[in-house]
Amino acid sequence: MTGAVNDADTADTFATASLEHVTMGDVAAFEFPGEFTVEGWASITNTATDRIVASKLTATVRGWYVQILSNEVLQFSSVADDGTVLWNTNTTSAVPIGTFFHFACVWNGTTDANGVKLYVNGVLEKQATAAAGTPAATSRGSSRHRS
């Protein structure tokens, strides 16, 4: 099966691998110079290490990412090209383990109080304030994981 963006596989093809993901390459649609929302469905069964759920960054070029930490909380982070951490926000509750859950990570494009929001299964889990700056728009590496 193919998906809407660069032939990304659909979730039902993730049934057997231990670290499944789709890499969609350097897609301009995932470059966010202003406000944006990242949302999707995730499931994790192995919490031994941190797991990237979605990202637009590399080790040398900054951007944003959503991950499930080994302590089972969802983290939404962004780093500017100069290395400035714009936000690094974790949910207060653990995400469901062993079942799919919906997440939405929102940045309103400002440094307003509560401009960064994390939702799990439609419930607002955390709000935070972003530092001044913009997530890098030249980063690479969008992906979706289930592990």
Side-chain angles (χ1 to χ4, degrees), residues 67-75 90-95:
Q67 68 179 339
I68 301 169
L69 301 178
S70 60
N71 64 353
E72 302 175 4
V73 298
L74 188 72
Q75 181 181 70
N90 299 349
T91 58
T92 54
S93 302
V95 297

Side-chain angles (χ1 to χ4, degrees), residues 29-39 54-56 63-66 76-79 86-87 103-110 115-119 130 133-137 139:
F30 293 114
E31 296 174 359
F32 305 119
E35 63 188 43
F36 67 93
T37 298
V38 176
E39 69 174 310
S55 66
K56 183 72 172 156
W64 58 266
Y65 59 94
V66 179
F76 181 34
S77 301
S78 182
V79 180
L86 302 177
W87 63 82
F103 66 90
C105 303
V106 180
W107 176 49
N108 72 1
T110 73
V116 178
K117 296 180 181 353
L118 279 73
Y119 297 84
T134 302
S139 56

Side-chain angles (χ1 to χ4, degrees), residues 14-54:
F14 292 108
T16 58
S18 62
L19 181 60
E20 301 115 344
H21 69 277
V22 173
T23 299
M24 293 179 279
D26 193 11
V27 179
F30 293 114
E31 296 174 359
F32 305 119
E35 63 188 43
F36 67 93
T37 298
V38 176
E39 69 174 310
W41 290 89
S43 176
I44 188 167
T45 56
N46 180 347
T47 60
T49 62
D50 299 345
R51 304 288 181 157
I52 297 281
V53 175

Side-chain angles (χ1 to χ4, degrees), residues 110-130:
T110 73
T111 58
D112 294 345
N114 300 324
V116 178
K117 296 180 181 353
L118 279 73
Y119 297 84
V120 175
N121 289 330
V123 176
L124 178 61
E125 284 284 329
K126 185 69 181 244
Q127 300 182 100
T129 303

Side-chain angles (χ1 to χ4, degrees), residues 25-27 31 55-58 61-62 138-142:
D26 193 11
V27 179
E31 296 174 359
S55 66
K56 183 72 172 156
L57 76 160
T58 66
V61 180
R62 313 306 182 161
T138 58
S139 56
R140 302 178 57 89
S142 303

